[in-house]
Amino acid sequence: MEERISRVLKEKVDPVLAAHYGGSYLTEFKDGVAWIKLTGECANCPSASDTIENVVKEILTKEVDGVVDVKLDTSVSEDLIDMARKILNKEV
């Protein structure tokens, strides 16, 4: 299921987001819900929730049987947190 979702993101969603210098990737799929992280300019866009609802959800629920909802993953990666700690501790 995760491979199918990722393929649809790459082939159908990312070309739409690329017009706004963005992209997407799946971070989790559980109980019919696909959690998607936006990248590039789309990651910090004030309309990110609208993009998830009106673009990503519409495409994924149409193209992938079993996807019933799509949510925006706004979590911060552990790599970024580790880098921030190193900067704050003057280790970089």
Side-chain angles (χ1 to χ4, degrees):
M1 178 64 84
E2 291 178 1
E3 287 178 20
R4 287 176 28 206
I5 294 169
S6 294
R7 186 176 64 247
V8 170
L9 288 172
K10 181 179 179 181
E11 294 174 359
K12 306 260 180 163
V13 173
D14 285 354
V16 175
L17 300 180
H20 300 273
Y21 306 103
S24 65
Y25 65 92
L26 177 71
T27 58
E28 183 178 9
F29 179 74
K30 185 176 179 181
D31 300 325
V33 179
W35 288 87
I36 307 297
K37 186 166 280 283
L38 298 179
T39 62
E41 292 296 316
C42 293
N44 298 314
C45 178
S47 299
S49 295
D50 291 335
T51 299
I52 287 291
E53 189 68 27
N54 298 319
V55 176
V56 182
K57 181 178 179 179
E58 182 177 323
I59 292 171
L60 282 180
T61 55
K62 178 182 171 188
E63 296 285 331
V64 183
D65 290 336
V67 174
V68 294
D69 201 5
V70 176
K71 302 284 185 181
L72 178 62
D73 182 346
T74 59
S75 65
V76 178
S77 74
E78 285 300 315
D79 290 340
L80 186 58
I81 292 171
D82 288 341
M83 180 57 78
R85 284 188 186 118
K86 288 177 181 176
I87 291 169
L88 289 171
N89 292 325
K90 298 180 182 174
E91 297 172 9
V92 176

